[in-house]
C-alpha cells in the first residue's frame, strides 16, 4: 500500500528539528528508523501532515559511559547497540533483549529512541527501561528535561513527551558486580511481538539478593514493574521455592488483555513461568559475574 501524501522535512541540526516540532506540534511525526511509523502510515493508522526525518542528526548516535551511567543516543541503531561491547559489559539486560527485537533487517534500521518513543507495551525495550529505571532526556524550545521511566509510559503508544519535544538520549545505570540478567519472552514466531515478555535483573552480594528488578511486557498498556515481588526477593538467598513465591506475588494482581494470542489466564500462566525461569537464569549468571 502506498503512503499517504505528507510534507517532508530533514533537519540537519537539533535546533532545526526542535523549531519544526514547535511549529507543527501534533501535526508532525518524527521519523527515526521508521520500522513502526512507516507501516502505520501505509495502513492509514497514522496520518501526520509533516514528517520530520532526524536521520541527519549524527549527534544523536552515541554510546558513552560516565559516573556509573550509560548514555545512549536516541538515533543509535539497534544493531549497533547489539554489537556494542560497552553495552554488553555495562547494561547486560539491554544486551540480552536486543537480539529478540524483530529480525536483523528490523534492527539494522530501528533505533533505541524510536522504540522507546513509540512505546509499544509488548516491545522489549520499554520493559528494559522500566526495569532499570532509565531516564529519558527530551529537548524542546524551553530547554532540556529528564523524565524517569516510571513517568515516561502513559498508556498504549503514549508517552509524556510533549508535541514540541524530541527524545535526545536515554540513560541507563551501569550494572554493578554480581548482577545477573535475563530477558525471556513467549511469541508465536521468532521476531513477533511477545505474548508476554519479562526483563529480570538480580544483584547478589555474598550469596544474598541485594537488588531485584522485574518488568513485564505484553500484560498491560504499559510495561509493568513487579514491585512487590522485588521486595520479597531482596535480602533472601536464591532458591526454587523463593522464585516460585515471587512468581505468585508478581502475577497476583496482573490483569492482562485478551486477544487472538491468548486469554488473560493464559498470559498469567506464561508470566508466572517466565518469572521462575528468569530469576533462576539471572541468579546463575550473577554468580558468574561476581
Amino acid at each position: 500500500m502506498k503512503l499517504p501524501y505528507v510534507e517532508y522535512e530533514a533537519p540537519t541540526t537539533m535546533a532545526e528539528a526542535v523549531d519544526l516540532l514547535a511549529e507543527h506540534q501534533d501535526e508532525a511525526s518524527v521519523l527515526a528508523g521508521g520500522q513502526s511509523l512507516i507501516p502505520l502510515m501505509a495502513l492509514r493508522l497514522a496520518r501526520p501532515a509533516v514528517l520530520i526525518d532526524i536521520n541527519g542528526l549524527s549527534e544523536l548516535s552515541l554510546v558513552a559511559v560516565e559516573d556509573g551511567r550509560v548514555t545512549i543516543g536516541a538515533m543509535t541503531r539497534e544493531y549497533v547497540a547489539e554489537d556494542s561491547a560497552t553495552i554488553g559489559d555495562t547494561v547486560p539486560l539491554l544486551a540480552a533483549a536486543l537480539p529478540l527485537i524483530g529480525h536483523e533487517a528490523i534492527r539494522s534500521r530501528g533505533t533505541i529512541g524510536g522504540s522507546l518513543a513509540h512505546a509499544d507495551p509488548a516491545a522489549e525495550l520499554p520493559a528494559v527501561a522500566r526495569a532499570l529505571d532509565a531516564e529519558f532526556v527530551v529537548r524542546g524550545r524551553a530547554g532540556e528535561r529528564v523524565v524517569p521511566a516510571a513517568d515516561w509510559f502513559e498508556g498504549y503508544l503514549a508517552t509524556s513527551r510533549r508535541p514540541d519535544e524530541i527524545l535526545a538520549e536515554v540513560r541507563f545505570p551501569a550494572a554493578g558486580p554480581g548482577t545477573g540478567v535475563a530477558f525471556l519472552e513467549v511469541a508465536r514466531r521468532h521476531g513477533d511481538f511477545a505474548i508476554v515478555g519479562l526483563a529480570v535483573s538480580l544483584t547478589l552480594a555474598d550469596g544474598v539478593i541485594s537488588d531485584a528488578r522485574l518488568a513485564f511486557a505484553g500484560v498491560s498498556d504499559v510495561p509493568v514493574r513487579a514491585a512487590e515481588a522485588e521486595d520479597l526477593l531482596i535480602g533472601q538467598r536464591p532458591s526454587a521455592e523463593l522464585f516460585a513465591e515471587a512468581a505468585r506475588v508478581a502475577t497476583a494482581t496482573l490483569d492482562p488483555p485478551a486477544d487472538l494470542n491468548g486469554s488473560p489466564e493464559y498470559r498469567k500462566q506464561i508470566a508466572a513461568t517466565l518469572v521462575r525461569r528468569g530469576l533462576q537464569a539471572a541468579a546463575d549468571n550473577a554468580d558468574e559475574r561476581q
Side-chain angles (χ1 to χ4, degrees), residues 19-251:
D19 285 344
L20 285 166
L21 281 172
E23 176 184 352
H24 297 288
Q25 299 278 320
D26 285 327
E27 293 185 346
S29 287
V30 175
L31 175 65
Q35 301 305 287
S36 298
L37 177 60
I38 296 301
L40 289 176
M41 290 176 63
L43 293 169
R44 305 305 193 264
L45 297 175
R47 293 294 297 266
V50 181
L51 203 57
I52 301 175
D53 185 345
I54 61 171
N55 280 270
L57 304 186
S58 58
E59 63 195 278
L60 298 186
S61 298
L62 75 143
V63 176
V65 182
E66 185 177 5
D67 298 328
R69 185 171 62 187
V70 183
T71 299
I72 302 176
M75 281 300 299
T76 302
R77 305 288 176 190
E78 289 161 349
Y79 85 92
V80 171
E82 184 180 350
D83 289 344
S84 169
T86 298
I87 290 176
D89 290 340
T90 57
V91 196
L93 182 56
L94 177 59
L98 283 165
L100 299 176
I101 299 173
H103 301 278
E104 284 191 45
I106 299 286
R107 299 194 297 276
S108 71
R109 290 296 301 169
T111 63
I112 299 295
S115 177
L116 291 168
H118 184 58
D120 192 312
E124 293 82 4
L125 297 191
V128 171
R130 190 69 182 86
L132 297 181
D133 292 320
E135 295 179 334
F136 296 78
V137 181
V138 293
R139 294 175 189 156
R141 277 184 172 174
E144 181 178 286
R145 66 189 183 101
V146 179
V147 183
D151 298 331
W152 178 256
F153 303 101
E154 293 191 333
Y156 183 71
L157 305 184
T159 73
S160 58
R161 183 186 70 85
R162 297 166 186 160
D164 62 343
E165 292 177 326
I166 188 168
L167 176 61
E169 58 192 41
V170 186
R171 299 169 181 166
F172 294 90
T179 297
V181 303
F183 195 102
L184 304 179
E185 65 182 33
V186 172
R188 293 294 181 191
R189 299 167 299 181
H190 172 69
D192 284 1
F193 279 109
I195 298 172
V196 179
L198 178 68
V200 183
S201 175
L202 282 184
T203 301
L204 300 184
D206 297 323
V208 174
I209 300 169
S210 60
D211 185 68
R213 295 163 181 271
L214 299 145
F216 289 108
V219 300
S220 181
D221 59 353
V222 295
V224 175
R225 188 85 174 259
E228 291 185 11
E230 294 173 353
D231 292 341
L232 170 71
L233 291 162
I234 293 174
Q236 305 296 317
R237 291 186 178 275
S239 69
E241 295 76 18
L242 175 66
F243 295 160
E245 178 62 12
R248 186 193 67 79
V249 171
T251 58

